[in-house]
Each structure stands twice: as structure tokens, then as C-alpha cells.
Amino acid sequence: MKTPENAPLNVKVDDHVEDELVRFLNLENPTSFFLFAGAGSGKTRTLVNALKYLASAYRDVLRLRGRQVAVITYTNAACDEITRRTEYDPLFVVRTIHSFAWMQIQGLNTDIRVWLKDNLKREISELHAEEAKGRAGTKASAARQAQLESKQRRLARLPEFKVFTYNPNGDNRERNALNHSEVIKIFSSFLLTKPLMQRMFVERYPFLLIDESQDTSRVLIDALFVVQKAHANRFCLGLIGDTMQRIYPDGKERIETEIPAGWGIPEKKLNHRCPKRIVRLINQIRGGADAHKQEPRDDRPEGWVRFFVFPTAVPDKPAMEQLVRVYMANLTGDQDWSDASKCKILTLEHHMAARRMGFLQMFEALASVDEYRTAFLDGSFAPTRFFTHNVLPLVTAQQKGDKFAATKIVREGSPLLSKDTLKGRDKPIDQLRIAQTAIDSLMGLWASNEPSCGAIAANIARTNLFAVPDGLKAALAAKAAPAETRSDEAADPVTDQVAALIAFLDCPFSQIAPYAAYVAHEAPFDTHQGVKGLEFERVMVLMDDEESRGFLFDYEKLLGAKAQSAADVKNAQGGKETSLDRTRRLFYVTCSRARSSLALVAYSAAPAAVRAHVIASNWFAADEVITDLTDHGRV
């Protein structure tokens, strides 16, 4: 779809991209491609236009052979938006990655069983090897024994399951259910090891377009690269994204550098979202990472950017941030800046939000483990979801005296009232009494004071009120095991994963509610993950290494307050990601959300050095860097 003739002068600058895509999206002679689409570049519009072209050019021939066009997006909201814009056309299959993967393997129960059997045997063998090297009686041994029991029990039950189930938006606690990571691994494995499935997949979906490809599971991307190479003459794989906006650790690093020869590499240069001043800033930010530059629309205003840098020892940071909003209201003439609820407040690190909202201990327990981090921060991590989706709603309903809500939660989620359990009972009322006794036992934990997550999990494991995730069972076993001698424990320590879950079980249950609000984006603070793809009129970004403790990110390095570490230098020389790389990406994502004005607030141990660095780097002019708000306390 071409740009109208009366549009601003440079709005047509990317029209050629859609012409290129038309050439690539050729059913008889397809060309796979990576479309670079930076912040605010209108990639959803381009994706929808590409889909509409495919419908107009190939609808009849595709329908005749029962073929469809597949689109993988990152969120359910993005799926809904694309589906709506394409008018619910059945020619298009628009799914999230987990939903799409399950769609391809659902019903392949024999193959899934074989994969699970092989995988469980491998994991059991590895645990036996670790147990043989370890020491009996230690907490690590107790955790391994619990894991072995769980995996051996699942392995023994595999023959019982005629079908396997999965819900991409659920907990998947049923015995025959797959978990989220298994679905991706199984689909990827089948694509790589089953030539027939490859051929059937390519025949069904001659075009597969993946939005936010830089954050799509690297396991699946690698498998799809193999499929594309084997079927290049009849399969078009279209990747859309921007490596500067990669925010999840399981995405494929530097995906642009691994694009195969012969692929198309079109690029969108126009930023439709941000005002001119903010586009210049985000170009400067990413200049240290790559050579991509955007240009603003001619009809966008100049916009406002101010960088505030204060000493780390500021006694009342929320009050200082209110003064920043007052300053921005005076500067821009936009009085909505004075109202925090009308500003989007972003942090570079979840750690800051966790501290301010009251779930810091829980965050520090779990977010340090790479294997857990992504799921923990998007709310899908089974051990925390157990509390947010089962325990918290039940406890809240009980404390409010809402018996109807409490009964509904237990009926829908408790093994005590499952169909299989009730089927074998002559008097279901007896089972209801057992469930009520379990509820009473749980609520009794609040009789004296706020219980820990460990006390709650142990109570539920004993009464079977809800199905306790295997990871928590292993942590409970380790936690309950008597400590052996220091030398034994030191020689055979628990794994980082089990240690993290033990630390989580020590957290007070009161931290669950603010965490649940945070991952549901119902909190006043948000991060780069929570605003992925979104935009806001006025944005405030908070940066504070003291609060975030430099966990994975280090804005003081980015802003020149301290030098890179030896580890960062070594990683950079080896082509590996550094904390500076991660911080730069997150800074770019947060700054590029603003449609009108942007306030950046940094707390630093060396504010003068930060000020000098950002001015010398041409990120900000001298009058855009504010270090004192003494005279700006009133609107």
C-alpha cells in the first residue's frame, strides 16, 4: 500500500521496502529475508501490507492446495492486532511462538512420547552421575533424589498417556501436559530430525514471517535456518526485527550477522513515532553498537529531552523525581507531566522496581539464574506462577470471606476435586470435606504472622490442595534435609537452580502480591520488557546502579562514570555480550518509547563525570543536562 501523495515529504522514504518484499514473497521463486525495522518504524503496518499482498496475489492457489501463510508474533496482544488488521482472514495463521509450535506437534503423541522418554532417560542418567560424584546426606543429594523421583515417576507413567496436552497460556499441571520449554524443544527437534515433517511443514506454510525475530527462541530460529536451506526453492522465511531491541536472554544474539548468503536484507529508516530530538538521541545511543540510523518524519515536532543527574546519596528519590516532573511541565508547557499517573515511568532494571514495590528478596533469589530469569520476569515461571495463580487468589478470597470465589478456585485447580479423583468416590461430599480441611490448614498459617513461601508450599504438598511444581518439591526436600558437615556440603553444594528456589522459599508470602501486579503490568513502574512495541506521550527513565546493584546491567559504564571491567573487555574481544551491550540496548528501548518528551534521571556516584561524558559524547547539549533543581520546585 503506497503512501498518499499529500503526505509529508519524507514519509515515502521507505516505500521501496514494500516493493522489495513483493519481490521476495514470490510463490514460484521465493527469497527469504531479514527486514531490519528499528523503533517506531511501522513494522506492523509493513507486515500487514505484506500479508494483504499475499492474499491478493495467491489466495486462490494457496486455498486450492490447503496452504496458509504463518505469522509468529511475541504476544497475544500482537496476534490480536495483526488478526484484526487482516480482517480475521483464515488464510493467515497468526500465533505466538508457543501456540504455533504446539499447533505443529499436537496429536503426534507417539513421537512426543519417544522424545520425552529419551529426554527423561538422559536427565535421569545425568542426575545419577551427579549423585555418584556427590555425597550422600547433603542438601544437594536430597534435591537430586527429589528430582530423580519426579522424573522416574513421569517416565513410568508415559505409557499411560494416550494423548499429551498443552496450554500456551496455562500452568500445564496435568500429568499428561507438556511444559513451555518442552514444546519449543520438541518442535525444533522434529523439524531437524524428521525429513517428512520438514516437507509437510513447508508444503503447509510456504511463507513463514516471524516478528520480533531477535527475541524468538534461538533453538527454533536455528532449526528454521536448516529448514530454509533445505527447501530454499519453495519456502520463504521472513524475519523481522532489530538486534538493538533484543531484550530476552534466550533470543538469538547478533542474528543479523548470521543471515545466510542470498537472503534479502531490506531496511526501514523512518521513525514514525518519536520527535526529531529523540530520534537524534537514539541514533547516538546505538552508534556505539552498529551503523543503523533512523530519520524522523518531516511532520514530527522537535520534541523535548532532558538528562537529570543527581548524587546517589539523594535522601528522597521519589520527591526528587516529582521535582523532575514539575520541571518538565514548566519546560514543555504540558501540565500532565506533574501527574505521575499520566507519565510512563520506566526503569532499566527490574531490580529497582522490585525494591520500590516490595518484592526485592524474591527478585534477588530468582532473577540471578539465567535459566529462570525470562520466565520469572514474564510471569510464566512455574514455581512463582504456582503462588500467583493458585495460592494468592485462594488466600485473597478466603481473607475477604468470598466463599464462592474460593470454591471456584479449588474446583478448577485442586487435584482433590479433579474429575479423576471424584470419579472413584462413592460420596463426593467426603472429598469436599477433605478439600475444606486442606484450605483450613493453609489459612491456619496466618494465625500468628505472615508465613513464608516455604511454609505454604510444604503445607500444600502435605495436603495436596494444589499440585506443587517439581522444582519446588526438590527445593523443599533440600531445605528439609539436615545439614551435613561443612566439608560435605562444600564438596557437594546444591546447584544454583536449587539454591535460588530455596532462597525463594525463605521469602515472605507478602511479596507475592506486588510481584503479581508487576508482571501483570498493573504497577506504576515498568521496564523495557513491559513496554515492548508500545509508545507513550511522556516518558521518564530512572537509572540507579545502587538500587539495581549493577545486576546484568551497568549504566555507570554506559554514561562514563566508570571504566569497563576486565571481564567486559575480555568478552568484547571474544565477540561475547558485555554488560555495556545489554545496558545500551535497554537504554535505547526505553528512550525510543517517547512520542513527545523524555526525561532521563540518573543517580550516580560521580555526577560530574557523567555530565562531562554525555556532553562530550554529543548525546546532550550542555543546557539539556540538569544537575540542580533547587529553583524548580513549583509549577
Side-chain angles (χ1 to χ4, degrees), residues 122-165:
R122 177 182 56 78
E123 292 177 341
I124 289 169
S125 176
E126 289 172 353
L127 284 169
H128 277 305
E130 291 172 12
E131 183 69 4
K133 291 188 296 183
R135 301 196 181 188
T138 61
K139 292 183 179 298
S141 177
R144 286 192 295 267
Q145 293 296 338
Q147 290 171 319
L148 277 167
E149 180 184 348
S150 173
K151 292 182 186 299
Q152 288 168 337
R153 184 169 59 249
R154 191 182 186 197
L155 178 62
R157 287 174 176 164
L158 281 181
E160 301 173 12
F161 306 141
K162 295 181 179 180
V163 297
F164 292 91
T165 64

Side-chain angles (χ1 to χ4, degrees), residues 250-317:
D250 52 355
K252 190 168 179 63
E253 292 183 30
R254 298 179 174 87
I255 190 172
E256 286 184 9
T257 65
E258 295 193 28
I259 298 303
W263 280 39
I265 312 179
E267 177 176 352
K268 300 197 72 173
K269 293 184 176 294
L270 199 62
N271 184 312
H272 296 268
R273 173 191 302 147
C274 301
K276 296 172 183 176
R277 177 64 189 93
I278 294 177
V279 173
R280 294 198 299 273
L281 172 63
I282 61 177
N283 282 339
Q284 288 293 108
I285 292 170
R286 78 177 298 156
D290 59 41
H292 292 294
K293 287 189 178 297
Q294 291 183 296
E295 60 179 277
R297 287 171 56 125
D298 285 339
D299 60 346
R300 294 295 287 139
E302 177 64 15
W304 306 90
V305 173
R306 288 297 182 272
F307 183 85
F308 302 83
V309 55
F310 306 123
T312 300
V314 167
D316 189 344
K317 291 174 182 176

Side-chain angles (χ1 to χ4, degrees), residues 463-494:
T463 65
N464 200 31
L465 178 58
F466 295 114
V468 178
D470 289 341
L472 285 183
K473 288 182 180 178
L476 284 171
K479 190 173 172 61
E484 292 296 304
T485 63
R486 288 187 179 183
S487 60
D488 283 341
E489 293 293 343
D492 185 17
V494 296

Side-chain angles (χ1 to χ4, degrees), residues 186-206:
I186 292 171
F187 177 44
S188 302
S189 173
F190 284 6
L191 281 178
L192 290 174
T193 61
K194 298 182 181 299
L196 178 59
M197 183 171 184
Q198 270 194 27
R199 293 195 295 273
M200 292 174 61
F201 179 77
V202 169
E203 175 60 27
R204 180 68 185 274
Y205 305 110

Side-chain angles (χ1 to χ4, degrees), residues 146-382:
Q147 290 171 319
L148 277 167
E149 180 184 348
S150 173
K151 292 182 186 299
Q152 288 168 337
R153 184 169 59 249
R154 191 182 186 197
L155 178 62
R157 287 174 176 164
L158 281 181
E160 301 173 12
F161 306 141
K162 295 181 179 180
V163 297
F164 292 91
T165 64
Y166 172 71
N167 180 352
N169 301 310
D171 294 320
N172 297 297
R173 302 307 310 164
E174 299 84 359
R175 290 180 177 180
N176 62 331
L178 304 178
N179 63 47
H180 299 304
S181 63
E182 285 174 342
V183 167
I184 299 298
K185 291 175 182 176
I186 292 171
F187 177 44
S188 302
S189 173
F190 284 6
L191 281 178
L192 290 174
T193 61
K194 298 182 181 299
L196 178 59
M197 183 171 184
Q198 270 194 27
R199 293 195 295 273
M200 292 174 61
F201 179 77
V202 169
E203 175 60 27
R204 180 68 185 274
Y205 305 110
F207 301 101
L208 171 59
L209 308 181
I210 302 181
D211 194 14
E212 303 289 3
S213 58
Q214 75 279 352
D215 274 321
T216 301
S217 166
R218 68 172 67 90
V219 174
L220 180 56
I221 290 292
D222 287 341
L224 288 170
F225 276 166
V226 172
V227 173
Q228 187 278 330
K229 183 177 181 180
H231 303 275
N233 63 335
R234 61 194 191 101
F235 175 59
C236 175
L237 177 59
L239 306 181
I240 304 168
D242 174 11
T243 50
M244 196 64 182
Q245 297 188 71
R246 184 174 69 83
I247 57 180
Y248 288 107
D250 52 355
K252 190 168 179 63
E253 292 183 30
R254 298 179 174 87
I255 190 172
E256 286 184 9
T257 65
E258 295 193 28
I259 298 303
W263 280 39
I265 312 179
E267 177 176 352
K268 300 197 72 173
K269 293 184 176 294
L270 199 62
N271 184 312
H272 296 268
R273 173 191 302 147
C274 301
K276 296 172 183 176
R277 177 64 189 93
I278 294 177
V279 173
R280 294 198 299 273
L281 172 63
I282 61 177
N283 282 339
Q284 288 293 108
I285 292 170
R286 78 177 298 156
D290 59 41
H292 292 294
K293 287 189 178 297
Q294 291 183 296
E295 60 179 277
R297 287 171 56 125
D298 285 339
D299 60 346
R300 294 295 287 139
E302 177 64 15
W304 306 90
V305 173
R306 288 297 182 272
F307 183 85
F308 302 83
V309 55
F310 306 123
T312 300
V314 167
D316 189 344
K317 291 174 182 176
M320 182 63 77
E321 289 149 22
Q322 176 59 29
L323 289 180
V324 168
R325 290 193 290 273
V326 170
Y327 179 98
M328 293 300 293
N330 285 328
L331 174 71
T332 64
D334 179 0
Q335 297 309 309
D336 283 343
W337 261 109
S338 300
D339 184 348
S341 67
K342 295 181 179 178
C343 308
K344 193 63 180 178
I345 303 173
L346 305 178
T347 64
L348 282 191
E349 239 292 13
H350 294 274
H351 207 299
M352 292 178 64
R355 176 187 292 274
R356 293 181 180 219
M357 290 184 64
F359 61 96
L360 180 62
Q361 183 181 347
M362 181 177 170
F363 176 89
E364 291 183 331
L366 295 172
S368 61
V369 179
D370 286 344
E371 182 181 332
Y372 293 166
R373 184 175 174 81
T374 297
F376 171 65
L377 295 177
D378 69 19
S380 64
F381 185 50

Side-chain angles (χ1 to χ4, degrees), residues 501-517:
L501 289 173
I502 291 173
F504 166 55
L505 291 175
D506 287 335
C507 295
F509 179 73
S510 58
Q511 297 200 7
I512 296 295
Y515 163 75

